[in-house]
Amino acid sequence: MTFINDFPDQMRIWNFRLLAHHELNGFGSLGEGMSIQVARDGRRILWLAHWGAPKNFTGVDVSDPRKPQVIIQTELPQAQMRSNSLEVSGEIMAVAYQTDKRGEKPAGFDLFDIAAPERPRLISHFDASGAHSRGVHQLWFCDGCYVHMASGAPDYVPRNPRDDQCYRIIDVRNASKPVEVGRWWLPGTAEGDSEPAPERHPPELVGRMSGFRAHNTNVYPERPDRAYVGYIDAGMIILDIGDMSAPRMVSRWDNSPPFHGFTHTVLPLFKRNLLIVTDETTTQDGSDLPKLMWVLDGRDERNPVPIATLPAPSADALRLPGRRVGAHNIHENTPGPYTWKSDQVILGTFFNAGLRAFDISNPYQPKEIGYFVPPASPQSPTGFTSINDVLVDERQVVYSVDRERGGLFVLEMAF
Amino acid sequence: MFGRRLRHPGGARMPVIVVTGFLGAGKTSLIRSLLESPQGAGTAIIVNELGEIGIDQALLRPGSDETILLGNGCLCCRMANDLRETCATLLRERAQGSVPPFERIIVETSGLAEPTPILQTFIAERALRDDFHLRGMVAVVDAASFESTLARFPECLRQVALADRIVVSKTDLIAPDALAHVLAKLHELNPAARAGVAVEGRIAPKFVLEFEPSPPRFAPAAGPRHPSGIETFALVLDAPVQWSGLSQALTTLIALRGPDLLRVKGLVNVQGCPGPVVLHLVQHLVHPPVELQAWPDADRRSRLVFIVRDMTASTVRNVIVAVQEAVSR
């Protein structure tokens, strides 16, 4: 006979250990920008971009992962914008700015000198505002030289307003004067393109957030001549950026239709010739599910082939009240000395279904090996927890953030 | 060499703790106290439906309407298939959400259970070993009746000899010197197992639920060998070993004396592996070795605990050394 002694509260945790939780002074709605700096005095600072106004970014001393301490929290210049994304390289931090409406400012990114973490010093602002631009949604800045980003531009005119973020490469080697060196968009999506406009996915399939625009724009030192781009309704795209002034598409893989679009992140696992591709779920009611994390065989980059998906979480299995349980961000093996590099275990965030870990040692049969779903913050606007992003440092300390005011969770993997 | 390096021997597999103990030893009281503790949350319990014992269900708190009947019988003999099915069903239903998302399983065996087949089921059956990890075996011993039970039932001896932890219950029924005698006897039978004393059926939950990745250091039992011939000793190898040599040596030992290798467990320093390799075998069945990410302490020597019958430490050492040398030549 079997008896099961259920958990007494809403905490759902398996094969993770919660080391600390910080509500970030009541401003615990975080975006998808997480980056680590080790300061000159040895302190380890976790930089977090907020999901929306009024806060811009927060620096948290996580030297002792059991005692995270906020060392600085900054304000946005106005309320109708957000930072959402940031990245640190050395002592320079790039922070994205995206406005709620097109044509507003500031839209672009700032570069800060963070040599003194408590006193970030603005070095420069790169302006990406324009009549058709909301600025920068996401940026990637890992080599100290180039910012790769999903952005509008003053001179970029999409044929459809929903296609307002192209892939842009900005040279920041002179941090005082960032300058664009390359740009790419899906042929046919910009005014003046000779190609026909792409056939749009049915709105009932992809929802109101859809669009042929860039999201994550990852570039790794193993292949500095490649950009791995999640291009939302165009699927995943590998670009040859050997000549940054003229990016060239190597391949494109799109799961939609029949799936529901919104390709978010492409993570190449170079030693294993695999690609992990994530969707983003955008509906609260689960109407766009399944939103998945896919495993692709990348042996021939010209022809990526899906071979598996990471097991989709079930709201029912965890007895979760929320139904936004599809995929979103993953730990991206962000280049640099202070991040964990893993090609056997994938950590991903699934909004209401929390943080989840998967063993992909057999890429044909990924297996869920852990999860963490904290209780919803009492201040959560939706009433649910909504885990938005994850970063793992080289100590294998896991940082994960909530979009719904839950703040920062620091965890240890137990597998 | 051994796949993904793990933080803990069990990796992400569902931990299983097997609780043995003779009839009336206090297994149910122990489990009830665990369930009542915060650390016991998220535990699935599998118990035998042994008619003649009768599980006092009022003592256990059912958390689910779903129950799986193992039927009458003893886990060790007739119930191996049922145990396998029960575990697999539990895991499947957990994934489906039809049972709460438990994070460990406790298997309570019947008093008469012979522990070896249960150990073998979890370490060697392909259907279970990929999803479940035998975290440890706990023997519950009634301090008052231990010696008489030991004399009458060989299963009691096996339960103690093969345990990782021993919980001594009902100590209020005997005098302190008698308790000391029982503890000495338990150490004689199984010096590798830690023994803890339960008070009114309770013991620190950690003692039963958490186990170190390394075998504890222990002093060999003093005095003459137990009449049963069962003996526990540690084998320490100072230098890192070549895996092919050790593997061949164990294969040789199993071929020669498999039935008498009641249980072998420990950490091995394998050449080329930065972390220790966990070894666990029961008679002729070997769990696939796993490598850990880090050593639990500064000691980098291979440390293996052997629980054997009618074998000596020097015999085992000689075989291992000789075969390794032969392989490396």
Side-chain angles (χ1 to χ4, degrees):
Chain A
M1 183 174 288
T2 305
F3 302 86
I4 295 174
N5 190 27
D6 201 358
F7 289 88
D9 56 30
Q10 293 298 306
M11 176 78 82
R12 296 290 186 233
I13 185 165
W14 178 48
N15 283 334
F16 283 99
R17 271 192 285 275
L18 180 62
L19 301 179
H21 174 216
H22 200 300
E23 294 182 325
L24 304 182
N25 306 339
F27 297 97
S29 297
L30 280 311
E32 42 195 346
M34 307 178 72
S35 200
I36 292 276
Q37 170 200 17
V38 173
R40 293 180 186 183
D41 59 8
R43 286 180 302 159
R44 180 176 295 253
I45 311 300
L46 174 66
W47 294 96
L48 302 169
H50 285 256
W51 185 61
K55 298 300 177 187
N56 186 353
F57 57 82
T58 293
V60 185
D61 184 341
V62 291
S63 306
D64 180 350
R66 289 175 175 78
K67 293 179 182 172
Q69 296 178 353
V70 171
I71 61 163
I72 182 172
Q73 197 164 55
T74 64
E75 307 284 329
L76 287 167
Q78 52 118 325
Q80 282 72 48
M81 64 178 293
R82 59 174 176 162
S83 47
N84 187 58
S85 176
L86 60 74
E87 207 80 76
V88 170
S89 183
E91 292 182 335
I92 296 179
M93 178 167 68
V95 181
Y97 294 127
Q98 183 181 37
T99 54
D100 292 352
K101 296 178 181 173
R102 296 172 182 86
E104 294 185 342
K105 289 187 176 184
F109 67 83
D110 278 351
L111 293 179
F112 290 95
D113 178 345
I114 52 171
E118 280 85 353
R119 297 181 300 280
R121 182 180 65 81
L122 181 65
I123 303 171
S124 61
H125 173 73
F126 181 83
D127 181 22
S129 66
H132 304 277
S133 172
R134 292 176 293 154
V136 180
H137 180 73
Q138 176 278 339
L139 57 77
W140 181 264
F141 174 50
C142 303
D143 60 0
C145 298
Y146 298 98
V147 170
H148 304 264
M149 61 188 194
S151 172
D155 58 343
Y156 182 70
V157 184
R159 283 176 169 162
N160 185 306
R162 287 179 173 175
D163 306 342
D164 59 353
Q165 290 164 197
C166 54
Y167 166 51
R168 302 180 69 189
I169 309 169
I170 314 300
D171 183 345
V172 295
R173 284 176 290 183
N174 180 350
S176 301
K177 291 184 178 177
V179 56
E180 183 175 15
V181 293
R183 186 186 300 187
W184 185 89
W185 60 90
L186 185 71
T189 55
E191 288 292 352
D193 284 355
S194 56
E195 299 86 353
E199 183 181 351
R200 304 202 77 81
H201 295 333
E204 65 275 16
L205 187 75
V206 294
R208 63 182 177 83
M209 305 276 288
S210 70
F212 292 97
R213 61 183 189 269
H215 200 289
N216 276 26
T217 53
N218 296 12
V219 178
Y220 293 86
E222 293 90 335
R223 285 304 302 267
D225 59 343
R226 291 290 182 270
Y228 298 88
V229 182
Y231 213 85
I232 303 193
D233 285 352
M236 67 144 273
I237 291 172
I238 300 176
L239 295 174
D240 180 347
I241 56 168
D243 177 358
M244 287 187 178
S245 66
R248 183 180 61 82
M249 186 160 69
V250 175
S251 59
R252 173 184 170 190
W253 173 74
D254 187 9
N255 59 38
S256 307
F259 287 89
H260 299 265
F262 225 100
T263 302
H264 188 280
T265 301
V266 184
L267 166 65
L269 304 177
F270 294 100
K271 289 181 182 172
R272 303 191 65 198
N273 282 320
L274 295 172
L275 298 156
I276 307 297
V277 179
T278 77
D279 302 333
E280 178 182 347
T281 184
T282 58
T283 62
Q284 296 290 345
D285 61 2
S287 57
D288 64 349
L289 298 179
K291 283 293 180 74
L292 299 167
M293 295 189 177
W294 306 74
V295 184
L296 273 63
D297 184 321
R299 283 176 294 177
D300 185 342
E301 66 172 351
R302 298 165 302 176
N303 184 32
V305 177
I307 57 173
T309 58
L310 308 186
S314 160
D316 293 333
L318 284 177
R319 306 185 173 195
L320 299 170
R323 285 292 177 267
R324 189 176 186 180
V325 296
H328 192 199
N329 280 293
I330 49 179
H331 172 68
E332 295 171 282
N333 292 342
T334 316
Y338 306 120
T339 50
W340 185 49
K341 311 295 188 298
S342 171
D343 61 9
Q344 301 284 327
V345 170
I346 299 296
L347 266 61
T349 57
F350 289 79
F351 294 107
N352 298 165
L355 169 72
R356 315 185 80 80
F358 305 92
D359 183 336
I360 59 159
S361 51
N362 178 353
Y364 299 99
Q365 282 187 315
K367 191 172 176 181
E368 185 175 83
I369 56 174
Y371 53 71
F372 170 66
V373 191
S377 163
Q379 286 78 41
S380 169
T382 60
F384 308 130
T385 190
S386 192
I387 297 300
N388 209 26
D389 200 2
V390 59
L391 177 76
V392 188
D393 73 15
E394 87 285 8
R395 304 176 300 180
Q396 299 192 31
V397 174
V398 180
Y399 309 95
S400 198
V401 292
D402 186 19
R403 183 188 275 196
E404 307 283 5
R405 301 190 183 172
L408 168 68
F409 299 91
V410 186
L411 301 124
E412 187 176 71
M413 295 178 280
F415 34 79
Chain B
M1 196 184 302
F2 303 102
R4 181 170 70 85
R5 294 208 297 272
L6 307 178
R7 278 177 172 266
H8 305 285
R13 292 173 292 158
M14 180 62 65
V16 177
I17 297 157
V18 176
V19 178
T20 69
F22 222 67
L23 309 180
K27 300 188 295 292
T28 304
S29 298
L30 176 72
I31 291 171
R32 179 185 59 184
S33 75
L34 291 172
L35 293 183
E36 289 173 352
S37 72
Q39 296 93 325
T43 301
I45 313 284
I46 300 174
V47 298
N48 265 151
E49 271 256 306
L50 209 64
E52 61 267 39
I53 304 169
I55 293 295
D56 183 355
Q57 295 189 20
L59 292 179
L60 294 167
R61 190 172 59 206
S64 164
D65 293 330
E66 300 292 327
T67 57
I68 305 163
L69 293 175
L70 281 178
N72 276 351
C74 172
L75 271 180
C76 66
C77 38
R78 287 177 285 172
M79 304 312 298
N81 284 341
D82 278 1
L83 179 61
R84 184 169 57 238
E85 285 297 316
T86 301
C87 289
T89 301
L90 269 176
L91 211 57
R92 186 172 65 248
E93 294 191 345
R94 177 181 180 277
Q96 293 167 342
S98 51
V99 300
F102 59 90
E103 61 179 37
R104 73 177 69 82
I105 295 175
I106 290 179
V107 178
E108 180 186 348
T109 70
S110 73
L112 287 166
E114 156 66 50
T116 303
I118 301 169
L119 285 173
Q120 290 178 325
T121 297
F122 281 108
I123 74 162
E125 283 214 25
R126 187 178 293 272
L128 289 183
R129 74 183 188 201
D130 291 345
D131 292 320
F132 298 90
H133 165 64
L134 181 71
R135 180 173 281 179
M137 180 167 273
V138 179
V140 185
V141 167
D142 175 347
S145 65
F146 170 59
E147 296 230 50
S148 62
T149 306
L150 187 65
R152 290 163 54 211
F153 297 101
E155 295 90 346
C156 178
L157 172 64
R158 292 290 194 106
Q159 290 170 356
V160 169
L162 293 177
D164 299 288
R165 295 278 162 88
I166 300 169
V167 175
V168 185
S169 68
K170 305 187 182 178
T171 51
D172 54 326
L173 301 180
I174 61 171
D177 57 339
L179 174 60
H181 178 73
V182 167
L183 291 171
K185 187 77 178 175
L186 290 169
H187 181 73
E188 178 189 317
L189 291 171
N190 186 348
R194 279 178 58 196
V197 174
V199 177
E200 295 180 350
R202 293 177 178 275
I203 198 163
K206 192 175 174 183
F207 185 78
V208 175
L209 300 178
E210 297 182 18
F211 292 80
E212 306 94 357
S214 62
R217 299 166 198 284
F218 62 92
R225 182 182 297 185
H226 190 268
S228 66
I230 294 177
E231 190 173 359
T232 300
F233 57 82
L235 185 71
V236 179
L237 303 171
D238 292 333
V241 301
Q242 199 177 15
W243 177 249
S244 58
L246 181 63
S247 175
Q248 189 60 50
L250 292 172
T251 303
T252 305
L253 264 180
I254 289 169
L256 294 173
R257 301 292 299 274
D260 297 323
L261 292 168
L262 301 183
R263 197 175 178 194
V264 180
K265 55 186 179 177
L267 302 179
V268 181
N269 188 340
V270 175
Q271 290 177 11
C273 293
V277 173
V278 180
L279 193 71
H280 194 182
L281 69 87
V282 176
Q283 294 184 321
H284 59 286
L285 298 177
V286 186
H287 189 279
V290 296
E291 184 185 351
L292 301 183
Q293 291 184 5
W295 287 83
D297 51 34
D299 192 346
R300 295 291 182 271
R301 296 173 303 166
S302 301
R303 288 161 279 168
L304 292 171
V305 173
F306 281 77
I307 304 170
V308 297
R309 183 172 48 206
D310 296 331
M311 297 170 75
T312 63
S314 60
T315 303
V316 171
R317 176 180 283 277
N318 289 343
V319 170
I320 287 179
V321 171
V323 175
Q324 282 200 103
E325 285 179 352
V327 168
S328 62
R329 274 201 291 269

